[in-house]
Amino acid sequence: MGDNIPPKIWNALCPGSAETSSIYTTTSIAILIATILCLLWSVSSYFRTRDGKLPLPPGSFGLPVIGETFDFLQAWQSDIQYREWMRKKVEKYGEFFKSHLLGSPTVIMDHPAGNKFLFQNEGRLLENNWPWQVRKLLGPDSIAMKVGEEHKVLRRHFGGFLEHAAVIRYLEGVELSMLSHFENHWDGKEQLVALDMTKRFTFSTICNLLVSLDEGSDMDELRYEFVKWTHGMLKLPINLPGFAYYSSMKARKRILQILDRIVVQRKQEMAEGRMSDRAKVDVLSSLLTVPDEKGEFTSESSIKDNLLLLLFAGYDTTSNALALIIYFIAKHPHVYSQLVQEHTSIIERKRESDDRGAGALTMDDLSAMKYSWKVIQETLRIQPPAAMGFRKAITDIEYNGYLIPKGWRLMWSNQRAHDDPRFFQDPLTFDPSRWDKTPTPFTFIPFGGGPRHCPGYEFVKMEMLVFLHHLIKKYQWTLVDPHERIVRDPFPRTEKRTPIKVTKITSF
Ligand code: HEM
């Protein structure tokens, strides 16, 4: 058995298998039984109504086992196709419907009431549940994998490193690293690829926040592996050479090795009392020295899995959003003019009150950037960087007269709520002035909600406002191609990564 299959592929199909035919036979029988059970379970899911009391939600499971995974992943690649996929489903089945995605029956809740239900019932009726392929990429100790009490404790512990008081401490470092980024990578250039720049800047900011890593070979290596790792995130989970998922799993291994090196080095620096001031306040030092509320220190494997999660959570989301902000501002000159007005008045006020000239930004300055925040919110509304998440029913759930059986997955998503004309007039138009009014609860959820609401919210708000301030203060720009399409990989971005022509401003 397996004579014609090259050993490498055979090993990937049967990891850890010995070279004996009896083990091949046992493995084959196990795979056969698992496949039959999977099929039976899938088929029974079509008809199950639990005591005939309540019907299952409307919708279609698509093909047995595979379900609608291919269609969904295909639609996900493009902004327009995904909107179209959802529109057709909603037209046919209504605002919540069942499907079969990434190996599980899944109920899609893509409207404000559904998202509210999902966020408010986490821990009671539902718990976090990423598809197994994402779980393997994130690692078992990541906060995203923890549920119940374990999640609460970890969350409070991590929340402390990202809360308002901590963000005030990080402000100066973020601004300095931004200024050097603009000086080194923007000044003197006539044309740039905006997304490449925001990726570079955001990666170095998050590496600084987490492990005080300077630009250089370690950071380049980490970024190289990290990009490969993310690439397989929403791809077919086939762990064989040539597939994106396989490269992702390999990249995870190498990232953990790099993080291991960093942790060992940091412990040595701590023991020898030769840590930089910056390193003393970064997230790694806090994790190594501050016990949680139970008095326990975070284990090394938890530190590494969670550093990886924080990189994941804070890098692509922020960098893609910043590049889209550059894109939308360039497409709307009146928005640019209003931003110039806002930042000019902040700079002038600072000049009057600060005899060193316009000194470092303070949290008060950030609070004065009201219009800038509206521009950011409008970008996050039209193109939410983190557009969905998964939970699992931990008990049978009755929702709107339907049964969601225990074990089914539920998907929250913000795209359709953000696009809903009942809440956002003319929703596909980029209009920061709509934020003069507060939105209806659960209609605007770029940072999620409930117990898993993004803990990086305060940090990322600060980071984006500081970025926008210096961008507006230093440059004018136009799009090389104003008609670029928006795609997803899996985060929203323009197809050509937003090339821009830049002019440095000297008037400020
Ligand atoms: C524009 C930028 C960002 C957006 C749009 C965003 C969005 C989100 C969303 C929607 C969730 C909830 C996921 C779910 O419920 O399934 C989340 C969770 C999370 N975010 Fe963010 N995020 C951003 C930046 C950041 C940053 C900068 C950090 C850290 C430095 C961060 C750390 C986290 C963590 C650790 C979680 C998991 C929380 C948990 O499971 O309890 N995020 N984020």
Side-chain angles (χ1 to χ4, degrees):
M1 186 188 280
D3 281 354
N4 300 327
I5 302 176
K8 228 173 163 188
I9 297 183
W10 181 250
N11 285 339
L13 283 166
C14 309
S17 64
E19 306 288 318
T20 63
S21 60
S22 69
I23 291 183
Y24 288 155
T25 312
T26 316
T27 311
S28 307
I29 292 171
I31 290 173
L32 190 68
I33 292 173
T35 310
I36 292 170
L37 285 176
C38 220
L39 271 168
L40 285 176
W41 191 70
S42 236
V43 170
S44 77
S45 302
Y46 278 78
F47 304 107
R48 218 170 9 191
T49 57
R50 297 283 156 103
D51 308 333
K53 278 183 200 149
L54 287 173
L56 295 174
S60 150
F61 279 132
L63 297 169
V65 185
I66 294 164
E68 298 190 307
T69 304
F70 287 120
D71 280 1
F72 175 77
L73 292 181
Q74 175 64 33
W76 183 258
Q77 311 286 316
S78 138
D79 173 43
I80 297 169
Q81 278 179 44
Y82 180 68
R83 282 185 157 101
E84 192 50 21
W85 189 83
M86 288 300 289
R87 191 192 60 75
K88 280 189 186 150
K89 290 277 186 193
V90 172
E91 214 168 78
K92 200 163 171 191
Y93 303 119
E95 285 197 312
F96 94 110
F97 56 89
K98 68 171 183 283
S99 178
H100 198 289
L101 302 178
L102 302 161
S104 169
T106 305
V107 175
I108 297 174
M109 314 280 255
D110 196 21
H111 63 295
N115 289 329
K116 179 178 174 187
F117 174 84
L118 193 141
F119 291 140
Q120 290 187 337
N121 284 296
E122 173 146 4
R124 291 194 300 133
L125 304 176
L126 313 149
E127 65 183 24
N128 208 31
N129 178 267
W130 285 95
W132 65 266
Q133 53 273 40
V134 178
R135 288 207 297 273
K136 287 197 106 173
L137 283 174
L138 287 175
D141 289 321
S142 147
I143 193 171
M145 295 306 119
K146 300 293 175 196
V147 295
E149 193 52 29
E150 236 188 321
H151 173 253
K152 279 188 197 147
V153 172
L154 203 56
R155 173 80 199 213
R156 282 195 287 266
H157 192 43
F158 274 74
F161 312 136
L162 292 169
E163 69 187 9
H164 189 73
V167 169
I168 298 174
R169 285 203 304 276
Y170 302 137
L171 170 59
E172 189 186 350
V174 169
E175 188 176 17
L176 286 175
S177 102
M178 192 166 306
L179 288 170
S180 88
H181 166 79
F182 281 133
E183 207 177 300
N184 294 332
H185 303 293
W186 289 58
D187 286 0
K189 305 262 169 45
E190 286 177 3
Q191 193 163 316
L192 294 168
V193 176
L195 184 58
D196 292 351
M197 291 299 113
T198 57
K199 291 261 172 217
R200 183 182 273 275
F201 159 70
T202 319
F203 199 76
S204 89
T205 307
I206 193 92
C207 282
N208 264 322
L209 167 77
L210 300 178
V211 292
S212 302
L213 207 57
D214 284 320
E215 280 201 14
S217 58
D218 268 357
M219 193 186 289
D220 289 345
E221 191 188 351
L222 191 57
R223 192 151 90 100
Y224 176 78
E225 297 300 343
F226 185 79
V227 169
K228 276 202 193 162
W229 178 81
T230 337
H231 192 61
M233 190 56 80
L234 275 184
K235 295 281 161 42
L236 285 180
I238 300 177
N239 201 5
L240 286 174
F243 287 89
Y245 186 72
Y246 176 84
S247 308
S248 258
M249 286 300 289
K250 289 206 120 185
R252 172 179 156 85
K253 237 187 202 168
R254 284 192 290 265
I255 292 170
L256 292 186
Q257 283 162 0
I258 299 169
L259 291 176
D260 204 43
R261 229 162 51 208
I262 293 172
V263 173
V264 169
Q265 194 181 330
R266 176 63 59 84
K267 281 184 162 174
Q268 214 170 330
E269 287 168 3
M270 278 178 163
E272 292 166 8
R274 53 181 182 85
M275 262 199 304
S276 70
D277 286 348
R278 211 170 38 144
K280 281 181 194 153
V281 295
D282 69 17
V283 171
L284 174 58
S285 288
S286 308
L287 285 171
L288 287 169
T289 54
V290 182
D292 66 19
E293 63 195 39
K294 292 179 166 171
E296 285 166 16
F297 286 93
T298 318
S299 71
E300 269 193 30
S301 80
S302 172
I303 288 180
K304 283 184 278 177
D305 273 359
N306 282 298
L307 288 176
L308 176 58
L309 174 76
L310 286 163
L311 266 181
F312 173 56
Y315 168 57
D316 285 302
T317 46
T318 313
S319 51
N320 285 45
L322 287 176
L324 285 168
I325 288 169
I326 292 174
Y327 171 79
F328 283 123
I329 294 174
K331 281 178 90 85
H332 300 89
H334 68 284
V335 172
Y336 177 76
S337 305
Q338 286 204 55
L339 284 168
V340 170
Q341 261 179 35
E342 177 165 282
H343 290 278
T344 307
S345 75
I346 290 171
I347 291 163
E348 281 169 357
R349 191 172 45 75
K350 285 179 77 62
R351 279 208 183 110
E352 281 162 22
S353 63
D354 183 341
D355 53 15
R356 287 176 299 140
L361 286 170
T362 62
M363 292 307 272
D364 282 347
D365 296 328
L366 301 191
S367 305
M369 297 180 189
K370 301 233 178 314
Y371 186 71
S372 305
W373 182 234
K374 289 177 191 171
V375 171
I376 294 169
Q377 283 181 292
E378 183 63 350
T379 307
L380 298 178
R381 181 189 69 79
I382 289 208
Q383 291 299 339
M388 51 127 132
F390 295 97
R391 305 289 187 268
K392 186 175 78 178
I394 51 179
T395 177
D396 280 356
I397 298 174
E398 187 184 334
Y399 181 76
N400 270 9
Y402 292 100
L403 173 78
I404 303 173
K406 180 179 172 181
W408 278 32
R409 210 178 272 147
L410 290 90
M411 182 181 120
W412 72 265
S413 165
N414 44 28
Q415 185 80 71
R416 266 183 35 87
H418 289 192
D419 277 1
D420 193 328
R422 286 172 296 178
F423 308 113
F424 300 102
Q425 202 184 7
D426 204 0
L428 297 182
T429 302
F430 184 82
D431 176 14
S433 73
R434 70 171 84 246
W435 295 97
D436 296 345
K437 282 194 287 186
T438 312
T440 311
F442 293 99
T443 56
F444 179 61
I445 44 168
F447 294 99
R452 287 185 191 268
H453 180 261
C454 176
Y457 169 80
E458 293 258 11
F459 179 83
V460 82
K461 182 174 178 185
M462 175 271 279
E463 186 184 8
M464 294 206 277
L465 287 172
V466 175
F467 180 87
L468 204 46
H469 177 73
H470 288 292
L471 182 74
I472 297 289
K473 189 173 156 184
K474 284 171 173 289
Y475 309 99
Q476 275 177 322
W477 66 98
T478 53
L479 296 172
V480 171
D481 177 1
H483 304 294
E484 263 192 278
R485 241 169 26 110
I486 293 183
V487 294
R488 285 199 175 100
D489 71 344
F491 301 93
R493 64 169 171 88
T494 64
E495 203 166 20
K496 297 178 195 158
R497 310 171 69 82
T498 321
I500 50 172
K501 288 191 177 137
V502 199
T503 318
K504 186 147 188 210
I505 302 172
T506 46
S507 56
F508 278 115

